[in-house]
Amino acid sequence: MIELQDVTRLFGSTRAVDHVSFMVPRGSVFGYIGPNGAGKTTSMRILATLELPTEGDAFIEGLSSVNDPDRVRRRLGFMPDAFGSYSDTNCAEYLDFFARSNGLVGRERTRRIRWVMDFTGLRSMAEKPITGLSKGMRQRLCLGRALIHDPSVLILDEPAAGLDPRARIELRQIIRSLAADGKTILISSHILSELAEMCDRVGIIEQGRLLANDTVAGLKGNSQTHLDLIVVIDGETETAKTILSQCEDVSDVVELNRTLQFRVAGDRQRQIEILHRLCDARVNVLEYRVVDESLEDLFLKVTAGKVQ
Amino acid sequence: MSDQEASRRAGDGGDGDSDPSAGQPLHPVAELSLGGGGQAIPYPALALDPDASGFWGWVDRATERLTSLLNPILVKEARQSLKSKQFLITFFCLLAASCAWTIMGIVFNAPDVYYIPTGESMMIGYFLILSVSMFAFVPLVAFRSLAAELDEGTYEMLAITRLSAWRIVSGKMNSAVLQMLIYFSAIVPCLAFCYLLRGIGLLTIVLVVAIVFITAMVLTALALVLSTLAKGRTLQTFLLVGLVAFIVVVEFTCCGFVFSMVLPEQWSGTWFGFLASFTVAASFVVLFVAAAAARIAPVTENRSTRLRVILFFQQAIWVVTIAYAAWVTGDFEWINEGLLYLGIYWLLVGMFMCGEASELSPRVRRGLPATYGTRMLFTWWMPGPGTGFMFVIGTGVAGLLVLAGVGVLGFQTGVVRGTSVDTPPPIFAAMMIGYLLGYLGIIRLLSMPFLKRFGPSFVAPLIAAIVAYFLGVIVPAIIDVAIQGRVSFSYSALHASNWGWTWDEAFSSRGLPAEVAMLILVVGSGVLAINLISLFREFRLRKIAVPLRVKQDLADESENQLVENGGGR
C-alpha cells in the first residue's frame, strides 16, 4: 500500500508539492500524470525516502518514509527516470551488485539474479557492458534492478521511455501481472494512452496540487458536461443538418464525407432522443456513436486553467 | 509483506543447474517477460549454481561466503578496477619503474654493491615510486569514482538500498586501500632486496611504508570529501586542480621529511611522536570519510551526530598527545602550541558548522527536549547551525580548559616548567577561548542573514570568516594611523583583535599581558551573549504534531509490550 497524507514540500518559496494526499491500495496500479515540474518526481522521491516532506507524511506498507526510512527501503523498488551506469561493468555484475546492496546472500542472490534476467530478457546480454546497451535495454536493466530484492511496492518514473512498441506492450502486461501478484505500483508516464490501459486509478497533478484522483472512467464521467457525437449517413446530409440545427442544445456541427460530428450539451438520454428524431425524419443512419475522450483530452481538460 | 516472507518467496523458485526447476521463474509473473531471454542461453558466471558439487563447487561456495561479508561497494569497485585501463597502466608502470630503478642502482653501484651498504640510496627510489603512484593516482581515482556516482545519478539508486551513506563512502575508501595494497605488493620484492643490501633497518622500511600508506589514506579521504562538494563540472574541475596542487605539496613535504629524518634514522626515541601522528592522521581519515558520508546522506538521515562524536574524540586524542609531550619534555611550550592549534581547529570546524542544514525528520524533532534551556544544553549533537555553534563552543572551551589545567597541574607538580615562552597556559587558554567565542560568534552573526536567504551552505560562513579575520587585523592598524599618523610597531591592548600579532606576542619572550587576555575573553563572552539571544529562535519550543498513524503505531507498540509482559509472567 502507498499513501501520501497531506504532503507539502517547499523549496525556498516554491511549493513543489502542495497538500497532496492519495492512497494506492495493495495490488493496484496508480498512474501519476502531470506536466514537467508539476511535482510528480518530488512526490515519488518523498515516498522513496530521498526527500523529506515539509509537512505531512508518506507511507509504504503502513511504514512512514519519514520515521522509518530503513524499513521502507526494504519494501520499495524505485526506478528513476534517469539511468546512471557504471563503466567497466556488465549487466550481470550490475544486478549482482544491487542484489548484494539489498542484503541478498548465497542461493537467494543467485536465484533473484536468474529470475530478473529471465523476467527482463537480459540473459543474452548478461556479459555485455552496460555502456554498450541501447536505451531500451537499459530501461529493462533498470526495471530489473528495482525488482531484484522482490519489493512489494514499485515506484516507476517513466518506465516506458525508450522502449520499442513491442516492449511497451509487454511492459504493460508485466505491470498488470506484477499488480496481480500483489505488488502495489505507482507509475508516471507521458504516454497517457498506455496509463489509461494499465492503471486502476489516475492522479493528475499540476503545480504541486493534485487536481484529480479517480478511475479513468470516473474522470471521464466527472469532467463531461457535453457529448461529442458522430453520425455517418447513407445519402444526402441536408435533412440531418437541418434537424440538428433545430436542436437548441446541439452545436459545432461539422460535415466531412457524409459524416457529421456535433456536440450535445446533454446526457445519454438526449443522445437517444436526437437519434430518434433523425430516424423519424427518415435519415439513413449507418453509424451513430460517441467520440470517446482519451486520457490526453481529460488531462488537458482537468489541468486547463485550474492552477496557474 | 514481511522480510521473512520476501525471503521465502524468493526462495520458492529454481534451485541451481542440478535442480529440475533450475531457471524456472520464482513467480507466475515471470512467465511473461520483455523478451530476449531464451532457455538455451546459459546463465552468466555470477548467476551460476552456488551449490554445485566437486572441488570447484566448494571453491565457489567458499568465495561466495567470503565476498558476502565484504562491502558490496568494495566488490564492485574491485571488479571495475581490474578491468580498467588506468589501473593496469599504473600497475605496470610501477612494476617497470621499480625494475628499472633496481637495475640502475646495481649498475651504478657496481662493483661496490658487494661491499658498501647501499640500501638507503635504493630506498629513496622505491619510496618515490611508491609515493607517486599512491599519492597521485589513488586519491584521484577515489575523487572521480564518488563524483561520478553523484553526477550520473547512481548514488540515488544506492541510497534506497540497505547501504548507508557511511558504508558507501567507506566502501570507496576500502577500495582505495585495496589498490594501495596491490601497488605495495608490486614493490615488496624490491623492499626485501633493499633490506638485503644493508644500510637500512627493517623498522625504517616499515616506517617509510607506514608514512606512505597513512598519507595516501588521508589524501584519499580528503579527495572523497572534495568530490561531494562538486556540484557541476566547473567546480569539479576547480576542486580537482586544487587537489592535484595539494598532492604535489604533500609529495614534496613527505619526501623532505623522509629523506631528512626517517632514512638517516634520526627518529630514535620519537616513537610516541610517530604513534601520535599516525593516530591523529587516522582520526582525520575517519573524520573525512564521515564528512563525505554526511554530505551525501539523504535528508531523512541524521547527518551530524557521527561527525560531532568524531570531532569530540579527535580533541581527546589531541589533548592526550599534547599533555603527554609536555609531561615527557617538561616544556610548557607544548601546552601553548596545543592550545593554539586546538583553538584554530575549533574556529575552522565552527565555521563549517555555522552553515549546517538544520533539517531534522519530524520523528527526531518530536523526541527533542521541550524547553529552551534543555534544548540549548542537551541537543548539541543534533544537526543545525545553532546546535553546531553550541557544540563547538562547549566542546572547544572544555578542551582548552582541560589542556590549560594540565599545564597548571604540571607546574604545581614541578614536572613542567617554562623555558623560552613567558605566557602561562591559563592566560594563553583565556586568550584562545576569547578568540573562539568572539570570532565564531561574529562569523555566525554575519552569515545568518545570508544563510536565511540562500539556504544552508558553508560559503557564507567562509566569506564571513575571511572578512572577520581581515577586519580583526586591519581595524587596529587603521586606528593607529588615525591616532598616531602611522602604524604602531609596539603591541598594546588596542591590537587585541589582531590575532596574528597577539599569538606572536604570546610566544615571544615578553609574553601576553594577562589584562589583554582578559579583555579578549570579556569581549568574546559579550559576543557569545548576543549569539545566545539570537539562538532563541532555533531552540524555542516548537510543538510537532504527532500524526494519527504514528499515534496508532505507538499505541499498538505499547499494547504489544503489555501483552508480551503479561505473557512473560
Side-chain angles (χ1 to χ4, degrees), chain A residues 45-83:
Chain A
R45 285 170 61 83
I46 288 170
L47 281 164
T49 73
L50 293 169
E51 292 275 357
L52 270 179
T54 311
E55 284 173 38
D57 209 340
F59 296 92
I60 297 288
E61 299 289 28
L63 298 164
S64 164
S65 300
V66 175
N67 291 330
D68 225 344
D70 290 337
R71 284 160 76 188
V72 164
R73 285 173 197 147
R74 290 176 200 177
R75 289 153 175 83
L76 181 76
F78 179 50
M79 182 177 167
D81 54 348
F83 174 81

Short mmCIF file of all heavy atoms in Angstrom, two decimals, chain A residues 45-83:
data_model
loop_
_atom_site.label_atom_id
_atom_site.label_comp_id
_atom_site.label_asym_id
_atom_site.label_seq_id
_atom_site.Cartn_x
_atom_site.Cartn_y
_atom_site.Cartn_z
N ARG A 45 10.00 10.96 -4.91
CA ARG A 45 11.24 10.95 -4.12
C ARG A 45 10.93 10.97 -2.63
O ARG A 45 11.67 10.40 -1.83
CB ARG A 45 12.11 12.14 -4.51
CG ARG A 45 12.80 11.95 -5.86
CD ARG A 45 13.44 13.24 -6.32
NE ARG A 45 14.46 13.69 -5.40
CZ ARG A 45 15.73 13.25 -5.37
NH1 ARG A 45 16.11 12.37 -6.25
NH2 ARG A 45 16.59 13.69 -4.50
N ILE A 46 9.85 11.63 -2.24
CA ILE A 46 9.45 11.62 -0.82
C ILE A 46 9.07 10.19 -0.42
O ILE A 46 9.49 9.69 0.63
CB ILE A 46 8.30 12.62 -0.56
CG1 ILE A 46 8.84 14.05 -0.65
CG2 ILE A 46 7.64 12.38 0.80
CD1 ILE A 46 7.77 15.12 -0.65
N LEU A 47 8.31 9.54 -1.29
CA LEU A 47 7.92 8.15 -1.00
C LEU A 47 9.16 7.24 -0.95
O LEU A 47 9.23 6.30 -0.17
CB LEU A 47 6.96 7.64 -2.07
CG LEU A 47 5.51 8.09 -1.92
CD1 LEU A 47 4.75 7.87 -3.21
CD2 LEU A 47 4.83 7.35 -0.77
N ALA A 48 10.14 7.56 -1.81
CA ALA A 48 11.34 6.72 -1.89
C ALA A 48 12.37 7.08 -0.83
O ALA A 48 13.52 6.64 -0.92
CB ALA A 48 11.95 6.84 -3.28
N THR A 49 12.00 7.92 0.13
CA THR A 49 12.84 8.32 1.27
C THR A 49 14.04 9.18 0.84
O THR A 49 14.99 9.34 1.59
CB THR A 49 13.38 7.13 2.11
OG1 THR A 49 14.40 6.48 1.36
CG2 THR A 49 12.30 6.16 2.50
N LEU A 50 13.97 9.75 -0.36
CA LEU A 50 15.09 10.59 -0.81
C LEU A 50 14.87 12.07 -0.50
O LEU A 50 15.78 12.87 -0.61
CB LEU A 50 15.29 10.43 -2.33
CG LEU A 50 15.77 9.05 -2.77
CD1 LEU A 50 15.68 8.90 -4.28
CD2 LEU A 50 17.19 8.78 -2.30
N GLU A 51 13.66 12.42 -0.13
CA GLU A 51 13.34 13.79 0.27
C GLU A 51 12.49 13.74 1.53
O GLU A 51 11.76 12.76 1.73
CB GLU A 51 12.50 14.50 -0.82
CG GLU A 51 13.21 14.76 -2.11
CD GLU A 51 14.00 16.05 -2.09
OE1 GLU A 51 13.97 16.77 -1.08
OE2 GLU A 51 14.67 16.32 -3.11
N LEU A 52 12.58 14.80 2.32
CA LEU A 52 11.70 14.92 3.48
C LEU A 52 10.55 15.85 3.12
O LEU A 52 10.79 16.90 2.51
CB LEU A 52 12.45 15.55 4.65
CG LEU A 52 13.17 14.64 5.61
CD1 LEU A 52 13.85 15.49 6.66
CD2 LEU A 52 12.23 13.67 6.27
N PRO A 53 9.31 15.51 3.49
CA PRO A 53 8.24 16.48 3.26
C PRO A 53 8.35 17.63 4.27
O PRO A 53 8.79 17.41 5.40
CB PRO A 53 6.97 15.67 3.51
CG PRO A 53 7.39 14.54 4.40
CD PRO A 53 8.84 14.27 4.12
N THR A 54 7.98 18.82 3.84
CA THR A 54 7.96 19.95 4.78
C THR A 54 6.81 19.76 5.76
O THR A 54 6.91 20.07 6.94
CB THR A 54 7.79 21.27 4.00
OG1 THR A 54 8.73 21.29 2.92
CG2 THR A 54 8.03 22.47 4.89
N GLU A 55 5.71 19.25 5.24
CA GLU A 55 4.55 18.90 6.09
C GLU A 55 4.01 17.57 5.62
O GLU A 55 4.21 17.17 4.47
CB GLU A 55 3.43 19.94 5.95
CG GLU A 55 3.66 21.25 6.66
CD GLU A 55 2.57 22.26 6.32
OE1 GLU A 55 1.40 21.85 6.20
OE2 GLU A 55 2.91 23.43 6.14
N GLY A 56 3.25 16.92 6.50
CA GLY A 56 2.59 15.67 6.12
C GLY A 56 3.53 14.47 6.22
O GLY A 56 4.66 14.59 6.70
N ASP A 57 3.04 13.35 5.77
CA ASP A 57 3.83 12.12 5.88
C ASP A 57 3.51 11.20 4.70
O ASP A 57 2.44 11.31 4.09
CB ASP A 57 3.51 11.41 7.20
CG ASP A 57 4.69 10.61 7.71
OD1 ASP A 57 5.58 10.29 6.89
OD2 ASP A 57 4.74 10.30 8.91
N ALA A 58 4.43 10.32 4.40
CA ALA A 58 4.24 9.36 3.30
C ALA A 58 4.42 7.96 3.87
O ALA A 58 5.30 7.75 4.73
CB ALA A 58 5.25 9.62 2.20
N PHE A 59 3.60 7.03 3.42
CA PHE A 59 3.65 5.67 3.98
C PHE A 59 3.79 4.63 2.87
O PHE A 59 3.15 4.74 1.82
CB PHE A 59 2.38 5.38 4.77
CG PHE A 59 2.22 6.26 5.98
CD1 PHE A 59 1.52 7.45 5.90
CD2 PHE A 59 2.80 5.92 7.19
CE1 PHE A 59 1.39 8.28 6.99
CE2 PHE A 59 2.67 6.74 8.30
CZ PHE A 59 1.96 7.92 8.19
N ILE A 60 4.63 3.66 3.13
CA ILE A 60 4.78 2.50 2.25
C ILE A 60 4.48 1.29 3.12
O ILE A 60 5.15 1.07 4.12
CB ILE A 60 6.23 2.39 1.69
CG1 ILE A 60 6.59 3.60 0.82
CG2 ILE A 60 6.43 1.08 0.95
CD1 ILE A 60 5.93 3.67 -0.53
N GLU A 61 3.48 0.53 2.74
CA GLU A 61 3.04 -0.63 3.53
C GLU A 61 2.82 -0.24 4.99
O GLU A 61 3.20 -0.98 5.91
CB GLU A 61 4.08 -1.76 3.44
CG GLU A 61 4.33 -2.30 2.05
CD GLU A 61 3.19 -3.12 1.48
OE1 GLU A 61 2.03 -2.89 1.86
OE2 GLU A 61 3.45 -3.99 0.64
N GLY A 62 2.29 0.95 5.20
CA GLY A 62 1.98 1.40 6.56
C GLY A 62 3.17 1.95 7.32
O GLY A 62 3.02 2.39 8.45
N LEU A 63 4.37 1.90 6.70
CA LEU A 63 5.56 2.42 7.38
C LEU A 63 5.87 3.82 6.88
O LEU A 63 5.82 4.06 5.66
CB LEU A 63 6.76 1.51 7.12
CG LEU A 63 6.64 0.08 7.61
CD1 LEU A 63 7.68 -0.80 6.96
CD2 LEU A 63 6.81 0.05 9.12
N SER A 64 6.22 4.68 7.79
CA SER A 64 6.44 6.07 7.40
C SER A 64 7.80 6.24 6.72
O SER A 64 8.83 5.81 7.25
CB SER A 64 6.37 6.95 8.65
OG SER A 64 6.94 8.19 8.37
N SER A 65 7.79 6.90 5.56
CA SER A 65 9.05 7.19 4.86
C SER A 65 9.90 8.17 5.65
O SER A 65 11.11 8.24 5.49
CB SER A 65 8.77 7.82 3.50
OG SER A 65 8.02 6.98 2.73
N VAL A 66 9.26 8.93 6.50
CA VAL A 66 9.97 9.93 7.30
C VAL A 66 10.55 9.30 8.56
O VAL A 66 11.71 9.50 8.89
CB VAL A 66 8.98 11.07 7.68
CG1 VAL A 66 9.65 12.06 8.60
CG2 VAL A 66 8.47 11.75 6.43
N ASN A 67 9.73 8.52 9.23
CA ASN A 67 10.14 7.96 10.52
C ASN A 67 10.87 6.64 10.42
O ASN A 67 11.61 6.27 11.31
CB ASN A 67 8.91 7.76 11.42
CG ASN A 67 8.33 9.08 11.86
OD1 ASN A 67 9.06 10.06 12.00
ND2 ASN A 67 7.04 9.12 12.03
N ASP A 68 10.63 5.93 9.35
CA ASP A 68 11.16 4.57 9.27
C ASP A 68 11.77 4.30 7.89
O ASP A 68 11.44 3.31 7.24
CB ASP A 68 10.00 3.59 9.50
CG ASP A 68 10.40 2.49 10.44
OD1 ASP A 68 11.62 2.34 10.65
OD2 ASP A 68 9.51 1.79 10.94
N PRO A 69 12.68 5.19 7.43
CA PRO A 69 13.16 5.06 6.05
C PRO A 69 13.84 3.72 5.77
O PRO A 69 13.69 3.18 4.67
CB PRO A 69 14.13 6.23 5.90
CG PRO A 69 14.46 6.69 7.26
CD PRO A 69 13.30 6.34 8.12
N ASP A 70 14.56 3.18 6.75
CA ASP A 70 15.28 1.92 6.51
C ASP A 70 14.33 0.78 6.17
O ASP A 70 14.56 0.01 5.24
CB ASP A 70 16.11 1.53 7.74
CG ASP A 70 17.28 2.49 7.92
OD1 ASP A 70 17.67 3.10 6.91
OD2 ASP A 70 17.77 2.62 9.04
N ARG A 71 13.24 0.68 6.95
CA ARG A 71 12.29 -0.42 6.72
C ARG A 71 11.49 -0.18 5.43
O ARG A 71 11.12 -1.12 4.75
CB ARG A 71 11.37 -0.58 7.92
CG ARG A 71 12.11 -1.30 9.08
CD ARG A 71 11.44 -1.07 10.39
NE ARG A 71 10.23 -1.85 10.54
CZ ARG A 71 9.38 -1.69 11.54
NH1 ARG A 71 9.61 -0.77 12.45
NH2 ARG A 71 8.30 -2.43 11.64
N VAL A 72 11.27 1.09 5.13
CA VAL A 72 10.56 1.41 3.89
C VAL A 72 11.38 0.95 2.69
O VAL A 72 10.85 0.34 1.75
CB VAL A 72 10.28 2.94 3.81
CG1 VAL A 72 9.92 3.36 2.40
CG2 VAL A 72 9.14 3.30 4.75
N ARG A 73 12.69 1.21 2.72
CA ARG A 73 13.55 0.88 1.57
C ARG A 73 13.56 -0.61 1.27
O ARG A 73 13.74 -1.01 0.13
CB ARG A 73 14.98 1.36 1.85
CG ARG A 73 15.11 2.85 1.72
CD ARG A 73 16.47 3.34 2.16
NE ARG A 73 16.42 4.78 2.41
CZ ARG A 73 17.12 5.41 3.33
NH1 ARG A 73 17.93 4.73 4.12
NH2 ARG A 73 17.01 6.70 3.48
N ARG A 74 13.40 -1.43 2.30
CA ARG A 74 13.39 -2.88 2.08
C ARG A 74 12.18 -3.32 1.30
O ARG A 74 12.16 -4.39 0.70
CB ARG A 74 13.42 -3.61 3.42
CG ARG A 74 14.75 -3.46 4.11
CD ARG A 74 14.71 -4.09 5.47
NE ARG A 74 15.77 -3.56 6.30
CZ ARG A 74 15.98 -3.86 7.56
NH1 ARG A 74 15.18 -4.72 8.15
NH2 ARG A 74 16.96 -3.34 8.23
N ARG A 75 11.12 -2.53 1.36
CA ARG A 75 9.87 -2.92 0.70
C ARG A 75 9.64 -2.19 -0.61
O ARG A 75 8.60 -2.31 -1.22
CB ARG A 75 8.69 -2.62 1.65
CG ARG A 75 8.65 -3.55 2.82
CD ARG A 75 7.98 -2.93 4.01
NE ARG A 75 7.84 -3.91 5.08
CZ ARG A 75 8.80 -4.20 5.93
NH1 ARG A 75 9.97 -3.61 5.84
NH2 ARG A 75 8.60 -5.11 6.88
N LEU A 76 10.65 -1.41 -0.99
CA LEU A 76 10.43 -0.48 -2.09
C LEU A 76 11.39 -0.74 -3.25
O LEU A 76 12.58 -0.94 -3.06
CB LEU A 76 10.70 0.93 -1.54
CG LEU A 76 10.52 2.09 -2.48
CD1 LEU A 76 9.03 2.37 -2.67
CD2 LEU A 76 11.19 3.32 -1.92
N GLY A 77 10.84 -0.74 -4.47
CA GLY A 77 11.67 -0.74 -5.67
C GLY A 77 11.43 0.57 -6.39
O GLY A 77 10.29 0.90 -6.70
N PHE A 78 12.48 1.32 -6.63
CA PHE A 78 12.33 2.64 -7.25
C PHE A 78 13.10 2.67 -8.56
O PHE A 78 14.27 2.32 -8.61
CB PHE A 78 12.86 3.71 -6.29
CG PHE A 78 12.78 5.12 -6.82
CD1 PHE A 78 11.60 5.61 -7.37
CD2 PHE A 78 13.88 5.96 -6.76
CE1 PHE A 78 11.52 6.91 -7.86
CE2 PHE A 78 13.81 7.26 -7.24
CZ PHE A 78 12.63 7.74 -7.79
N MET A 79 12.40 3.08 -9.60
CA MET A 79 13.05 3.20 -10.91
C MET A 79 12.99 4.67 -11.31
O MET A 79 11.95 5.16 -11.72
CB MET A 79 12.30 2.34 -11.91
CG MET A 79 12.89 2.34 -13.28
SD MET A 79 11.95 1.21 -14.33
CE MET A 79 12.57 1.69 -15.92
N PRO A 80 14.11 5.40 -11.16
CA PRO A 80 14.08 6.81 -11.52
C PRO A 80 14.06 7.00 -13.04
O PRO A 80 14.31 6.07 -13.78
CB PRO A 80 15.39 7.36 -10.93
CG PRO A 80 16.28 6.19 -10.81
CD PRO A 80 15.43 4.97 -10.69
N ASP A 81 13.74 8.23 -13.46
CA ASP A 81 13.66 8.46 -14.90
C ASP A 81 15.05 8.48 -15.56
O ASP A 81 15.18 8.14 -16.72
CB ASP A 81 12.90 9.77 -15.21
CG ASP A 81 13.49 10.97 -14.48
OD1 ASP A 81 14.32 10.76 -13.59
OD2 ASP A 81 13.10 12.10 -14.80
N ALA A 82 16.07 8.88 -14.80
CA ALA A 82 17.43 8.91 -15.37
C ALA A 82 18.18 7.66 -14.92
O ALA A 82 18.15 7.31 -13.75
CB ALA A 82 18.16 10.14 -14.90
N PHE A 83 18.82 7.01 -15.88
CA PHE A 83 19.55 5.79 -15.55
C PHE A 83 21.04 6.07 -15.56
O PHE A 83 21.61 6.43 -16.58
CB PHE A 83 19.21 4.71 -16.58
CG PHE A 83 20.01 3.44 -16.42
CD1 PHE A 83 19.64 2.50 -15.49
CD2 PHE A 83 21.13 3.20 -17.20
CE1 PHE A 83 20.37 1.33 -15.34
CE2 PHE A 83 21.87 2.04 -17.06
CZ PHE A 83 21.49 1.10 -16.13
#
